[in-house]
Amino acid sequence: MTESDIAAVRDVLKSDWLTQGPNIGTFEKKLAELTGAKYAVACSSGTAALHLAMLAMDLGHGDEIVTSPVTFLASANCARYVGAEVRFADINAATGLISIKALEKVLRSDKKKKIKVIVPVHLGGQPAALGEIQGLAEAHGALVVDDACHALGARYRYRGREYRIGASPHAVITAFSFHPVKHVAMGEGGALTTNSHEIAEKLRHFRSHGIQKDAFINDGMAFSPENTLNPWYYEMQELGYNYRLTDIQAALGVSQLKRLNYSLKKRHDLAEKYHRLLRERFPDGGVRPLEAAPGVYNAFHLFIVLIDFIKFGLNRAEVMNRLRSAGIGTQVHYIPVYLQPYYRRRYGYNPGAFPEADSYYEKALSLPMYPQLTFKDCQRVIDTLKKILENSH
Ligand SMILES: *Cc1c(COP(=O)(O)O)cnc(C)c1O
């Protein structure tokens, strides 16, 4: 948090608004500009964003979604919130992203066309193959809602053109999170972008109790006998939620969005440094970064490496603990969602159901990645990792 972040919050605390104030609109406008989307709708978290997206898609009982097994829980849970079922399509272990072949197979098996929405996840900030995914979705009569909670600022190429995550014609709605671990940290916070006015309006209604302040159904209650609008009147036409963002959070977001480009540039420089160090220190590929698709601009929310722990004769917990003792924090993104007791119980999954996800999970480790990191830090991370891995025998 910079001094200007703190000042932005202090200004809100001294203003007339704590929630639904002017910073919400400013934040939405800035986010729309940054992504290139026509509309941005702020909400209380990335999870709320995904839930709102499912509501706006009119998803419910009898419907299904497909997502990646390697993601945060919310990419799958959002379907369950509206009574829909979750299917997973395996990933490609080298990239961590949903496999087009696996997705095709899942769609082909859906003879009754229950799958209505595909939720690709841009793991670590690397865009999934949205162009191809949209092609498959369209042929199946499904829609794409991308989980871009890692991917603010990411771009990808498809058939010779570049697209920005959040304004892609290959997704109907894009979901973002502004949880403290994400690029923009508001405490809690989320947003959706879309190019559809109708969908943006639906998202706004569901965000705030389904309340409508124009286009009424009960006209007799809305208007006085003189045909003027009754000043107290509001109308609930759908079952919505309180998924509003506060003005305090939005002010923090507006302030931080100003640094987004700087932060993306730093993350790219750091990733390049990591790549070089890994090639030098592990020329045999014992520790290697995730593979990148050509033409992709990764937002590098995370820097994930795949480590052949078996070959090094060490388990991941030991390596993480030793790194921690050296003052280096690492994390695992993610435990495959299908292995969570809730999903195993509901769908009867056993380990091995998604072999690429399992193989990725065995090897994945997220190294430190944030704009304040220095090249020297990267070097210390890789050197310490090398020492730990190679002194194990
Ligand atoms: C963080 C995250 C979410 C959920 O966002 P919250 O703001 O924590 O609710 C969903 N999907 C992915 C991939 C995430 O990383």
Side-chain angles (χ1 to χ4, degrees):
M1 294 297 153
T2 63
E3 285 306 317
S4 39
D5 292 343
I6 294 165
V9 170
R10 195 188 309 114
D11 288 348
V12 177
L13 295 178
K14 288 180 167 176
S15 79
D16 292 338
W17 304 92
L18 289 178
T19 192
Q20 298 304 98
N23 281 292
I24 305 283
T26 308
F27 179 73
E28 289 178 336
K29 190 164 163 277
K30 297 269 175 221
L31 188 66
E33 276 169 22
L34 257 162
T35 55
K38 284 203 180 123
Y39 307 96
V41 178
C43 63
S44 54
S45 71
T47 304
L50 287 161
H51 185 186
L52 289 170
M54 297 303 119
L55 292 164
M57 296 289 89
D58 207 14
L59 203 76
H61 289 276
D63 297 333
E64 296 181 355
I65 72 156
V66 191
T67 190
S68 166
V70 175
T71 182
F72 183 62
L73 305 168
S75 323
N77 291 353
C78 59
R80 296 294 310 125
Y81 297 153
V82 296
E85 304 299 336
V86 180
R87 301 252 226 134
F88 297 101
D90 207 353
I91 60 163
N92 171 345
T95 62
L97 302 174
I98 201 163
S99 145
I100 297 300
K101 274 211 181 107
L103 179 59
E104 242 180 328
K105 211 169 139 196
V106 171
L107 292 173
R108 236 189 346 259
S109 73
D110 176 34
K111 300 276 185 266
K112 292 187 179 152
K113 303 256 178 189
K114 290 184 168 185
I115 295 168
K116 300 284 161 46
V117 177
I118 300 171
V119 184
V121 180
H122 310 307
L123 188 78
Q126 174 169 203
L130 279 189
E132 287 82 357
I133 292 168
Q134 159 61 18
L136 293 179
E138 197 175 335
H140 197 75
L143 296 165
V144 178
V145 171
D146 57 331
D147 180 341
C149 289
H150 295 180
L152 181 61
R155 307 190 292 265
Y156 64 100
R157 291 194 78 81
Y158 181 66
R159 292 187 176 162
R161 273 197 59 189
E162 185 168 73
Y163 299 97
R164 279 188 272 179
I165 293 296
S168 162
H170 306 126
V172 200
I173 306 178
T174 302
F176 295 98
S177 164
F178 308 110
H179 177 273
V181 302
K182 309 292 160 75
H183 279 35
V184 167
M186 298 183 184
E188 298 285 353
L192 299 129
T193 57
T194 179
N195 288 325
S196 155
H197 176 74
E198 192 193 336
I199 290 173
E201 284 305 298
K202 276 191 187 171
L203 295 169
R204 286 180 210 284
H205 292 149
F206 283 121
R207 170 177 71 178
S208 197
H209 307 283
I211 288 174
Q212 186 97 18
K213 290 198 172 148
D214 47 35
F216 299 116
I217 291 171
N218 292 339
D219 270 346
M221 289 177 75
F223 296 97
S224 72
E226 294 79 44
N227 219 19
T228 57
L229 179 62
N230 290 321
W232 65 85
Y233 193 73
Y234 58 87
E235 201 165 77
M236 176 190 141
Q237 300 180 353
E238 309 267 4
L239 183 62
Y241 297 80
N242 178 355
Y243 279 165
R244 295 185 302 259
L245 189 70
T246 68
D247 217 53
I248 308 165
Q249 293 164 312
L252 205 43
V254 171
S255 177
Q256 289 183 33
L257 278 182
K258 292 179 190 152
R259 298 200 294 281
L260 183 68
N261 282 334
Y262 163 80
S263 142
L264 288 168
K265 168 91 176 57
K266 280 296 301 251
R267 287 169 187 274
H268 263 255
D269 293 347
L270 293 164
E272 211 171 282
K273 178 74 178 172
Y274 268 138
H275 275 110
R276 202 160 51 236
L277 288 164
L278 288 169
R279 273 196 306 272
E280 283 167 19
R281 308 287 202 274
F282 298 98
D284 60 349
V287 179
R288 57 185 199 281
L290 291 182
E291 278 174 17
V296 141
Y297 183 85
N298 192 328
F300 283 115
H301 165 57
L302 303 170
F303 192 82
I304 300 170
V305 292
L306 301 175
I307 304 179
D308 201 337
F309 290 101
I310 295 169
K311 194 187 119 206
F312 288 110
L314 272 171
N315 74 45
R316 182 166 45 196
E318 274 176 75
V319 174
M320 284 179 80
N321 289 336
R322 289 194 206 172
L323 284 166
R324 176 152 291 284
S325 304
I328 297 167
T330 55
Q331 188 49 278
V332 176
H333 298 92
Y334 291 94
I335 302 165
V337 178
Y338 86 92
L339 291 173
Q340 294 294 348
Y342 173 84
Y343 284 101
R344 289 187 65 174
R345 191 166 68 237
R346 185 160 189 92
Y347 300 114
Y349 289 127
N350 284 311
F354 299 94
E356 290 277 311
D358 294 350
S359 147
Y360 162 93
Y361 172 59
E362 269 173 30
K363 298 191 179 85
L365 192 69
S366 301
L367 302 182
M369 171 54 92
Y370 50 90
Q372 291 76 20
L373 205 69
T374 64
F375 285 175
K376 251 181 108 175
D377 293 329
C378 293
Q379 197 159 329
R380 191 171 84 83
V381 168
I382 300 300
D383 287 343
T384 310
L385 183 63
K386 188 174 164 74
K387 218 168 11 183
I388 292 169
L389 290 171
E390 293 184 350
N391 290 347
S392 64
H393 300 292

